[in-house]
Amino acid sequence: MPDLRPAQGGGIAFSAPGQSMNVLAKETISIDRPAALIFDYVSNMENFGRWFQGVIAIEAVANEAHGTLGKTYLETVNIPLRGSRQIKLQVIESRKPTLFVTEGDFSPVMPRMEITITECGLSSRFEWKMYSRNHGILFRALLLPLIRSEITKRAQKSLPRLKAVLEQKTS
């Protein structure tokens, strides 16, 4: 089972003993909805394009229930200076209503998205993190700063959009 400790000051998160990931973005927002309602919405990755900037389309590959381990999606995203690209995503961890994790096969980034939801009275703390599983020195030196900047900008615009969408829904 992965060790999901938060990143320490240097921007590295640990996913398994001896294996590190590069933090691309980490954003948190309070949403005035129960954790289970938020989890149900975000674990249906077909909703991702409704709230996350840069996602053009996303669809499930098969008919498993959303939030099921191993469920696979095809996501079409807008990549600056490269146009749209399709990424295969797979749910690798799902613990309703608190944790949802996906990994994608998009090289050179090799993204991992982690969503943590903590209920706090009448609202919930929603934390969204994106990591790169690429350990290459050239990637970290040349591409990581650019990708980190772009993903952070998208996350900063997208979490308020998610909050607005969910707070408009009736519980």
Side-chain angles (χ1 to χ4, degrees), residues 3 11 14 27 42 52 66-67 76-78 88 97 106 121 143 147 150 157 165:
D3 180 1
F14 298 93
E27 295 294 325
V42 298
F52 203 85
H66 296 292
T76 305
V77 294
N78 183 29
K88 181 179 166 188
F106 181 61
L143 293 177
I147 294 168
E150 180 64 23
K157 292 178 181 175
V165 166

Side-chain angles (χ1 to χ4, degrees), residues 29-143:
I29 197 163
S30 178
I31 300 174
D32 293 334
R33 290 291 180 256
L37 184 141
I38 298 168
F39 183 91
D40 288 344
Y41 187 81
V42 298
S43 67
N44 176 349
M45 289 295 290
E46 292 178 337
N47 289 327
F48 197 48
R50 293 184 180 122
W51 63 274
F52 203 85
Q53 184 182 31
V55 176
I56 298 166
I58 189 163
E59 63 182 60
V61 172
N63 290 328
E64 301 102 342
H66 296 292
T68 301
L69 290 180
K71 184 163 179 83
T72 303
Y73 296 88
L74 291 177
E75 174 186 35
T76 305
V77 294
N78 183 29
I79 307 296
L81 306 175
R82 293 185 68 199
S84 65
R85 296 288 187 265
Q86 196 168 64
I87 302 172
K88 181 179 166 188
L89 301 175
Q90 187 169 44
V91 176
I92 63 158
E93 192 163 357
S94 184
R95 285 188 261 147
K96 185 176 181 173
T98 60
L99 180 67
F100 183 70
V101 182
T102 64
E103 288 186 350
D105 67 356
F106 181 61
S107 183
V109 181
M110 303 308 293
R112 176 185 175 107
M113 178 183 75
E114 296 182 3
I115 293 172
T116 307
I117 306 164
T118 308
E119 205 157 281
C120 307
L122 298 176
S123 65
S124 296
R125 180 178 180 267
F126 180 89
E127 183 176 54
W128 184 90
K129 295 179 275 189
M130 182 65 74
Y131 299 100
S132 170
R133 295 174 286 128
N134 186 333
H135 307 293
I137 293 170
L138 286 177
F139 171 79
R140 290 191 349 222
L142 300 175
L143 293 177

